[in-house]
Amino acid sequence: MDEKTKNTVKTLNKKANKYLEVAKNIFYKFFNFILIAFVIYSLTASSKNREITYYEDNIKHATNQVRYRYNTDEWIRNYATNVNVDIYKETDYLKKIKQLPQEELNNLGDSLGNKIVQYVIYDFKSGKYLTNNRTMKDIISGYKDRNEEISKDIIENEAINLTPIDKFYYMSYTRNSLAVDNFNNHLNYITSPNDFYEVYWLSRSPDNELTKVGLATETYFTDWEQVNNNQKQIENNKKFITYYYMASILFIIMILVTGPKKLIEKLKNNIISKSLRAIAGLFSIVGLGIKFIIYTILTLITAVNIYMVINTRWVIYDIYYNFQLWNILWFILPALYLIIILPKAVKFINRINSIIIGSSKIVEGDLEISLEEKGEKNLAKLAYNINKIKTGFKVSIDEQIKNERLKSELVTNVSHDLKTPLTSIINYIDILQRKDITEEEKEDYLKILNTKSHRLKLLIDDLFEVSKMNSGKVELEKEEVDIVELLQQALGEFSNLYQHKNIIFKVNSFKDSIIMNLDGKKISRVFENLISNALKYSMENTRVYIDIKESDNGINLSFKNISAYEIDFETAELFERFKRADESRTSSVEGSGLGLAIARSIIDLHGGSMNIEVEGDLFKVFIELKYQ
């Protein structure tokens, strides 16, 4: 095969792979569509089968419907009239209605009439009545209890409401009653026929009983409109079920063709999978209250589900005789609850319990314990907050212990540093008071007294200054000053001190003049303290490097020198009051131990920062000041 043919084959393979990939994508998209259709059809297929059964029953009912034709004339002629005549005879042509008390009339009324005829005769003059219908008795008694007037219309309306079949009633005054109409001589025996109003109506009798006594006739017919509508519904449901079976077959074929593993990988981006992940993500960000409500609802749903499966026969019947894929939900829901939701709830409760136990130990004083910040988001946040509180509390206690130690050291150091020069002053004063000393000795002692008193004054001034700064009562007098010039002045003032140590200062600045808005006196004090420290504690015959560099919106100063003493403690302690690089209080190096503390307080007042770093014997101080 030549090169050209190889290239052609390679090109064809690329195109074939490309078209194959397109075909695969189309296939998986079609599979997603079939999957969604399958899920939807599965959830409704069983209900469609039940609907078909329901519509078939409707068709059976519609093709064999019964219609009754009622004979009201026959009821009036042979039933209502006979009852009317019996009532006249038993009541002595209605005279007893006026004569007897209502209780006896109630008993008499129950004995008259029959199963087919209900009645009421009301006397408007006396307000008494005769009836065999309990409901009518209660209605009339109610009107009387409320002292409401009873009219002909009220009796008619109530009787019509009690009539089960329309037109099966008869109403009239006694002068026109059924008995009078059929037997005219009855009217000759009735006193005051205009006082009475009579109503007769059909009692609640089944249609088949009315048929037996000749008051109704059965006719059979078919409701074709209902039959046609139900047949259409059956056809639609059968189409739906057919589509369901088609989707099921396609679903199974695609699984067999694709293979389960590849299918699962492709379904990760399925719309259903995305929806489930979105719901899970939403559930992870909602609050505890919402989660509790959701958990409660799911628990109730699962409990109802289990109850129905165990105690409701139609569920088992439906699964056994009319099984559809959606029936699996009866078992999937409890299974998902037991596998996923319940373990999460148990885990949640265990996390709460562990947090309660851990917080109880913290309350009891165990500040070394740390709660695990894991699990449910809100509980992890709670554990984190408790750990933060515990850490802050621990730091506070450590600071308190440290402050107590510093207070103790402060008292000791102040006592020692004040006592030493004061003791010397007292001793030399005692010597000066002797008479056996020469003038030359007096002069030497006075010089020593002057030095000691100046040292005592310097120590007291430093104490007052630290106290004022800590109380926040210091006010800065800011003005435009040249930092480089202030530094050179401070170096000039100390140039004659400690000459025997042969210490050389090297200054390097990015500019010859740096103007800043600062309190010149306070910043000079910072430089003096740092230069003084460098002279006191630097190794002999070494250099001190002072660098000034530009920074964002300000400057950085650094002082670097080699210490003559081993610094074997934390650098942060150098900012503590009365802390010295040489911790021996009997050292020949003079100083109050307040220099760095005062310097840092001044820098803080200017909104800057001051830090110390130590690398072996190399001692470094860094200062940052911002342009105002």
Side-chain angles (χ1 to χ4, degrees):
M1 186 181 293
D2 58 7
E3 192 66 29
K4 185 177 180 181
T5 305
K6 287 182 179 179
N7 291 334
T8 304
V9 171
K10 189 180 293 184
T11 304
L12 290 174
N13 284 334
K14 284 184 179 179
K15 287 184 178 181
N17 290 331
K18 182 179 179 181
Y19 291 137
L20 182 62
E21 193 63 31
V22 171
K24 283 183 178 179
N25 289 332
I26 294 172
F27 174 81
Y28 286 119
K29 286 181 180 179
F30 180 67
F31 183 82
N32 284 336
F33 171 77
I34 294 297
L35 175 61
I36 294 169
F38 174 71
V39 171
I40 294 171
Y41 284 142
S42 295
L43 293 174
T44 56
S46 180
S47 64
K48 294 297 180 183
N49 275 328
R50 283 198 294 270
E51 286 177 11
I52 289 173
T53 305
Y54 170 76
Y55 293 133
E56 287 175 346
D57 290 340
N58 283 349
I59 290 174
K60 289 179 182 178
H61 179 71
T63 55
N64 194 27
Q65 289 196 13
V66 178
R67 181 183 292 136
Y68 288 92
R69 295 184 182 276
Y70 300 103
N71 192 345
T72 54
D73 293 336
E74 179 69 18
W75 176 78
I76 292 172
R77 185 170 53 253
N78 293 328
Y79 291 94
T81 300
N82 292 339
V83 170
N84 186 202
V85 172
D86 291 342
I87 290 170
Y88 285 177
K89 289 179 180 179
E90 293 297 328
T91 60
D92 194 11
Y93 294 95
L94 307 183
K95 289 188 179 87
K96 290 184 179 181
I97 294 178
K98 290 183 177 288
Q99 296 169 355
L100 296 176
Q102 188 61 53
E103 290 183 5
E104 292 186 23
L105 290 175
N106 290 340
N107 295 328
L108 179 62
D110 292 337
S111 65
L112 300 174
N114 54 48
K115 291 182 179 181
I116 295 176
V117 179
Q118 301 285 294
Y119 70 89
V120 61
I121 300 176
Y122 190 80
D123 180 8
F124 287 106
K125 283 288 180 69
S126 66
K128 296 179 182 180
Y129 58 91
L130 186 71
T131 182
N132 65 343
N133 185 275
R134 182 175 297 276
T135 303
M136 185 61 76
K137 287 179 186 178
D138 294 338
I139 291 170
I140 295 173
S141 298
Y143 276 96
K144 288 183 175 294
D145 292 340
R146 296 191 297 271
N147 294 321
E148 295 181 11
E149 185 179 353
I150 298 175
S151 64
K152 174 179 75 71
D153 292 335
I154 289 173
I155 294 174
E156 284 184 2
N157 291 332
E158 296 295 348
I160 290 172
N161 291 334
L162 294 170
T163 304
I165 302 173
D166 191 27
K167 304 299 183 183
F168 260 103
Y169 54 80
Y170 179 86
M171 308 174 183
S172 75
Y173 282 96
T174 298
R175 63 177 181 269
N176 299 319
S177 71
L178 296 170
V180 172
D181 286 345
N182 290 280
F183 310 98
N184 289 329
N185 61 331
H186 276 292
L187 192 59
N188 298 330
Y189 302 105
I190 298 175
T191 306
S192 305
N194 292 328
D195 293 348
F196 298 97
Y197 190 72
E198 304 177 12
V199 180
Y200 300 86
W201 67 92
L202 180 69
S203 63
R204 296 188 179 276
S205 302
D207 288 331
N208 57 350
E209 289 189 12
L210 295 178
T211 303
K212 289 178 182 178
V213 297
L215 296 179
T217 305
E218 290 181 348
T219 58
Y220 293 91
F221 70 98
T222 299
D223 187 347
W224 291 109
E225 182 179 357
Q226 186 178 356
V227 169
N228 292 332
N229 290 336
N230 282 284
Q231 283 179 342
K232 287 181 181 178
Q233 294 294 335
I234 289 171
E235 289 175 4
N236 292 335
N237 284 359
K238 285 184 176 179
K239 285 181 182 178
F240 183 93
I241 292 172
T242 301
Y243 295 148
Y244 166 64
Y245 287 131
M246 291 173 62
S248 302
I249 293 168
L250 282 173
F251 182 69
I252 294 169
I253 291 172
M254 287 182 170
I255 290 176
L256 294 174
V257 170
T258 310
K261 289 186 178 179
K262 287 185 179 179
L263 192 61
I264 290 170
E265 290 179 4
K266 289 293 181 182
L267 288 180
K268 286 181 180 178
N269 293 323
N270 181 276
I271 187 170
I272 297 175
S273 301
K274 289 180 179 178
S275 301
L276 291 174
R277 285 197 296 269
I279 292 170
L282 179 64
F283 190 78
S284 67
I285 63 174
V286 296
L288 281 175
I290 301 296
K291 287 183 180 178
F292 175 77
I293 292 171
I294 293 173
Y295 174 74
T296 303
I297 292 171
L298 291 175
T299 302
L300 290 173
I301 291 172
T302 305
V304 171
N305 185 293
I306 294 172
Y307 174 82
M308 292 185 70
V309 170
I310 295 174
N311 297 298
T312 309
R313 292 182 179 179
W314 71 263
V315 173
I316 304 298
Y317 178 88
D318 191 55
I319 293 172
Y320 187 78
Y321 292 101
N322 193 25
F323 180 77
Q324 300 293 332
L325 283 177
W326 80 270
N327 293 134
I328 299 173
L329 291 175
W330 289 110
F331 304 99
I332 289 177
L333 286 176
L336 289 176
Y337 182 85
L338 294 173
I339 295 170
I340 298 174
I341 298 172
L342 189 60
K344 282 184 175 291
V346 172
K347 196 174 181 181
F348 183 85
I349 293 170
N350 287 336
R351 283 292 297 128
I352 291 177
N353 189 46
S354 66
I355 289 173
I356 291 172
I357 293 171
S359 59
S360 298
K361 289 183 179 179
I362 292 172
V363 170
E364 291 169 359
D366 185 0
L367 300 180
E368 298 302 322
I369 191 172
S370 181
L371 302 180
E372 291 184 350
E373 300 169 12
K374 65 177 185 180
E376 200 273 336
K377 182 189 71 174
N378 294 286
L379 293 183
K381 181 68 174 176
L382 176 62
Y384 170 78
N385 292 338
I386 292 174
N387 284 336
K388 289 287 286 183
I389 293 171
K390 180 211 68 175
T391 303
F393 185 64
K394 188 172 184 296
V395 169
S396 176
I397 290 177
D398 291 342
E399 285 292 327
Q400 189 174 357
I401 294 170
K402 183 180 177 182
N403 288 336
E404 290 296 326
R405 178 177 59 79
L406 288 175
K407 284 180 184 178
S408 176
E409 289 182 1
L410 177 63
V411 172
T412 303
N413 293 336
V414 169
S415 301
H416 183 277
D417 288 347
L418 290 176
K419 182 180 178 182
T420 300
L422 191 59
T423 302
S424 297
I425 291 170
I426 294 170
N427 290 335
Y428 283 110
I429 289 173
D430 288 341
I431 293 171
L432 286 172
Q433 288 176 345
R434 296 178 187 171
K435 294 180 181 180
D436 56 345
I437 61 171
T438 63
E439 289 296 326
E440 198 173 308
E441 289 175 331
K442 282 184 180 181
E443 198 170 321
D444 291 336
Y445 293 151
L446 286 172
K447 286 179 182 180
I448 294 172
L449 280 173
N450 185 53
T451 302
K452 296 294 183 182
S453 60
H454 276 294
R455 182 178 178 184
L456 185 60
K457 181 180 181 298
L458 178 63
L459 179 60
I460 293 171
D461 287 343
D462 284 349
L463 280 170
F464 275 117
E465 190 162 1
V466 168
S467 178
K468 284 170 66 178
M469 288 183 180
N470 287 341
S471 65
K473 295 179 180 179
V474 177
E475 293 184 4
L476 298 178
E477 297 177 2
K478 291 185 177 181
E479 58 183 342
E480 299 292 328
V481 296
D482 186 346
I483 289 290
V484 178
E485 185 179 344
L486 286 177
L487 181 60
Q488 294 294 350
Q489 288 176 359
L491 288 170
E493 291 177 5
F494 285 86
S495 60
N496 295 325
L497 299 177
Y498 298 95
Q499 290 183 350
H500 64 282
K501 296 183 73 172
N502 192 27
I503 294 172
I504 300 171
F505 286 85
K506 294 287 186 179
V507 180
N508 181 29
S509 175
F510 71 96
K511 285 174 67 177
D512 294 335
S513 178
I514 303 170
I515 306 300
M516 300 185 74
N517 187 27
L518 304 167
D519 187 328
K521 292 181 180 179
K522 294 289 189 296
I523 295 299
S524 292
R525 180 67 187 276
V526 172
F527 292 158
E528 289 170 3
N529 287 354
L530 293 176
I531 293 168
S532 175
N533 275 1
L535 289 169
K536 291 175 186 176
Y537 299 109
S538 291
M539 186 180 291
E540 294 181 1
N541 302 313
T542 57
R543 296 181 182 86
V544 177
Y545 292 91
I546 304 174
D547 294 321
I548 306 175
K549 297 180 181 179
E550 190 174 20
S551 66
D552 295 337
N553 196 30
I555 62 169
N556 289 329
L557 294 93
S558 64
F559 291 73
K560 302 174 184 177
N561 65 285
I562 297 175
S563 175
Y565 304 93
E566 183 182 357
I567 303 174
D568 56 354
F569 47 82
E570 293 293 328
T571 55
E573 294 183 19
L574 288 170
F575 287 118
E576 296 172 4
R577 289 165 288 184
F578 295 98
K579 193 71 178 181
R580 292 161 58 172
D582 173 25
E583 293 192 346
S584 172
R585 311 306 299 182
T586 61
S587 170
S588 60
V589 178
E590 294 184 353
S592 63
L594 297 170
L596 289 177
I598 293 171
R600 185 176 190 179
S601 297
I602 292 171
I603 296 299
D604 288 342
L605 287 172
H606 282 83
S609 63
M610 180 174 171
N611 296 298
I612 294 175
E613 290 183 8
V614 175
E615 293 182 15
D617 292 333
L618 181 60
F619 184 82
K620 296 180 284 187
V621 178
F622 297 98
I623 296 174
E624 183 180 5
L625 290 171
K626 300 289 184 182
Y627 292 118
Q628 300 292 323

